[in-house]
Amino acid sequence: MTRTRAQTVARSAATKAVAWGIVGVAAGVAGPALAQTPSWQYIPPRSSDTYFFPTDISHSGIVIGGSGSIGNLPSLVRSIERFDPSLGATQTTILGISGSDRGHISGDGLVVGGYWPGDGSPGSAGPSLLYSDGTRRLLPSPTIQGELKMGSVQRLSYDGSSAALRYNPLPNGSTAEANSVYRWTLQDNVAQLPPSPLSGSTYSFVNGMSDDGRYIVGQMAPNTTFPDVPFAWDTQQNTLLPMIDPTGRPIDNGRMTTASGDGTRLFGWYYVGGTHVNPFMIEDGLLTALELGDLPPSVDLVPMDASFDGTVLTGLYNRPSGAQSYWIWTESGGAVDANDYFRSFGLDFPATARIRDLMVSGDGRHFAGWMESGSAGFVVTIPAPSAAISLILGGVFATRRRRRR
C-alpha cells in the first residue's frame, strides 16, 4: 500500500475535473459530519416482508434497496425503496425492477436506475432512469444480429449521465443465461465492452464504476466452464487495462470488484495457487497487493466497495470455520472486522450480527448492509469527515486526488 510522492500527486486533468465537481457536495456534508455523533439505524422492511436489502448507496449515504424475505431477495420485488439517514424515513419509488435486476443510485442521490416493466405498450419496457422530479428516461438496449437485447442498469455515474448496463447476448428465446456489458451516456452513446485478450467476453458482469463513468470494472469469461478474468474498462480510450500480477504474469482467474469514485484506485482479487484469494489495488497503472494483515486468518479476502477517494474500503472474508464476515479498511487505520469497527465508535452494534452486502458511501462516512440475524437493513453513520473532505477543507485537495459505486 506504500506509494511514492510522484504516484500520490500525479493525476490526470479528467480526474481533477471530476474531483472538483464534488467539492460542493463534500463541503455541504462536512458541517453535519462534525456535529453528529456516531449512530446506526435500522432500515425497516415493508409490513408484508421481513428484511430490507440495500442494493446501493449515494455519496452522502442515501440507501436504496428492496424489501423481501430471507428466501426472497430484493431482485424479486417490483419497487425500489429509498432511505435517507438524515430523515430516518423510507420512501418507495415508482421505478419497478424485476428478474435479477436491482436498483442503483447516482452519487448525488438524484437519479435511480433499474428496469421499468412498462405499461404494456410496445417499447415501453426496458432499462430506465427515474429523476428526482418524477420524470423517467428509457435507456437504449443493444440490437445484436437484428434482435433487440433488453438491457438492465448495473451502475450509475455520480450525476446519472452515464450508466453501465448488461444484456443477454444469446439468441432471443434461448433458455440459457448469459450477460454482456455495455455503456450508455447522456448523448445516447452506446459502447460495447471490448473482448478480453485472454478469452472471449460472452459472459461479463459489472461490479463497479467511477463517478465520471470512465472506468467500469468486473469480470468476463468465454463461457461458464472457464474461470473469470478480471477487467477494468477505460471507456475514454475504449481499452482494457492490462491485468499483470506482481510477478509479471497475466491474471487469468479473478475479478475486479470496485472502483473509487475518482477513478484513481481500482480494486479486485485473483487466485493464487488455485485456492488463495489475493486482493489487489491498481493505482497509477500499477498493480500492488492490498495488505489486510490485521484481520483474523482467512482463506478469502475480497474487496467489495470503495469511498470516493479510495481511502475507505469494505470487503468480505471467510473465516477458517467457514463463517462469512465483512471488514472495513481505512488508509490510516488498516483493516478491522466490521462489527468491531462499528463498536469502536461506542455504538451498540450487535457483536455477533452476521453482516451481508456491506457498502460504503462516497464520503466514507456511511455504511449500509443487512443483518442476517437482525431481520432488517441498517445504515451506520460515522461523524468524522473522510480523508477526502479533510483535505478539501485543509486546502490541499489539489495535491491528492482519490476517488465509488
Side-chain angles (χ1 to χ4, degrees), residues 12-29:
S12 68
T15 299
K16 292 179 182 179
V18 174
W20 282 111
I22 71 152
V23 169
V25 174
V29 300

Side-chain angles (χ1 to χ4, degrees), residues 14-388:
T15 299
K16 292 179 182 179
V18 174
W20 282 111
I22 71 152
V23 169
V25 174
V29 300
L34 295 173
Q36 291 176 347
T37 57
S39 66
W40 73 282
Q41 300 164 272
Y42 276 116
I43 306 177
R46 294 180 301 183
S47 58
S48 59
D49 293 304
T50 56
Y51 281 83
F52 177 87
F53 301 89
T55 57
D56 206 357
I57 188 169
S58 75
H59 183 89
S60 63
I62 298 172
V63 179
I64 64 168
S67 293
S69 65
I70 192 63
N72 177 23
L73 292 175
S75 59
L76 301 180
V77 302
R78 299 186 70 84
S79 65
I80 296 174
E81 296 158 65
R82 171 189 176 106
F83 183 86
D84 188 336
S86 66
L87 302 176
T90 303
Q91 299 171 321
T92 301
T93 74
I94 59 173
L95 181 63
I97 55 177
S98 61
S100 60
D101 306 319
R102 303 184 179 191
H104 294 279
I105 191 168
S106 59
D108 60 13
L110 301 179
V111 186
V112 172
Y115 179 84
W116 174 241
D119 56 12
S121 61
S124 64
S128 182
L129 302 182
L130 182 68
Y131 297 92
S132 57
D133 62 1
T135 60
R136 182 183 296 108
R137 175 190 291 268
L138 196 66
L139 303 186
S141 294
T143 298
I144 308 297
Q145 296 181 348
E147 292 184 336
L148 179 65
K149 306 294 184 178
M150 197 62 70
S152 62
V153 176
Q154 301 297 296
R155 291 293 187 276
L156 290 175
S157 63
Y158 180 82
D159 60 1
S161 63
S162 64
L165 304 95
R166 69 179 184 183
Y167 67 94
N168 189 328
L170 301 181
N172 292 344
S174 173
T175 58
E177 294 186 4
N179 291 282
S180 288
V181 173
Y182 71 105
R183 184 211 61 174
W184 164 88
T185 66
L186 193 59
Q187 295 75 29
D188 283 335
N189 176 30
V190 174
Q192 300 287 323
L193 176 70
S196 166
L198 298 178
S199 62
S201 56
T202 300
Y203 294 82
S204 53
F205 299 85
V206 175
N207 295 324
M209 185 168 75
S210 61
D211 278 2
D212 62 357
R214 174 173 179 174
Y215 293 103
I216 298 173
V217 301
Q219 72 266 13
M220 59 171 62
N223 57 55
T224 56
T225 64
F226 279 72
D228 291 328
V229 176
F231 76 80
W233 179 17
D234 180 347
T235 64
Q236 188 176 92
Q237 304 295 328
N238 199 32
T239 59
L240 299 179
L241 302 185
M243 294 290 165
I244 307 297
D245 72 17
T247 69
R249 292 176 297 187
I251 297 175
D252 59 3
N253 193 347
R255 297 180 179 183
M256 295 298 295
T257 50
T258 189
S260 62
D262 63 10
T264 62
R265 290 182 169 184
L266 311 176
F267 298 92
W269 59 265
Y270 63 95
Y271 277 116
V272 177
T275 56
H276 179 66
V277 171
N278 190 22
F280 66 85
M281 177 181 72
I282 297 177
E283 184 177 27
D284 297 325
L286 300 177
L287 187 149
T288 58
L290 185 64
E291 299 297 335
L292 299 170
D294 292 338
L295 294 173
S298 173
V299 175
D300 301 322
L301 295 167
V302 179
M304 295 297 290
D305 200 19
S307 64
F308 173 82
D309 59 3
T311 61
V312 183
L313 188 68
T314 68
L316 170 69
Y317 72 102
N318 294 319
R319 297 178 184 272
S321 65
Q324 188 180 84
S325 299
Y326 276 81
W327 46 263
I328 295 173
W329 174 88
T330 61
E331 193 166 52
S332 59
V336 180
D337 181 88
N339 297 58
D340 294 338
Y341 182 83
F342 297 148
R343 291 169 66 84
S344 72
F345 287 91
L347 299 175
D348 187 24
F349 194 87
T352 58
R354 296 181 62 185
I355 297 174
R356 294 291 181 267
D357 298 337
L358 186 65
M359 57 192 75
V360 62
S361 61
D363 62 14
R365 296 179 46 244
H366 305 273
F367 300 85
W370 61 279
M371 289 185 287
E372 190 172 311
S373 54
S375 301
F378 68 87
V379 58
V380 173
T381 299
I382 305 300
S386 71

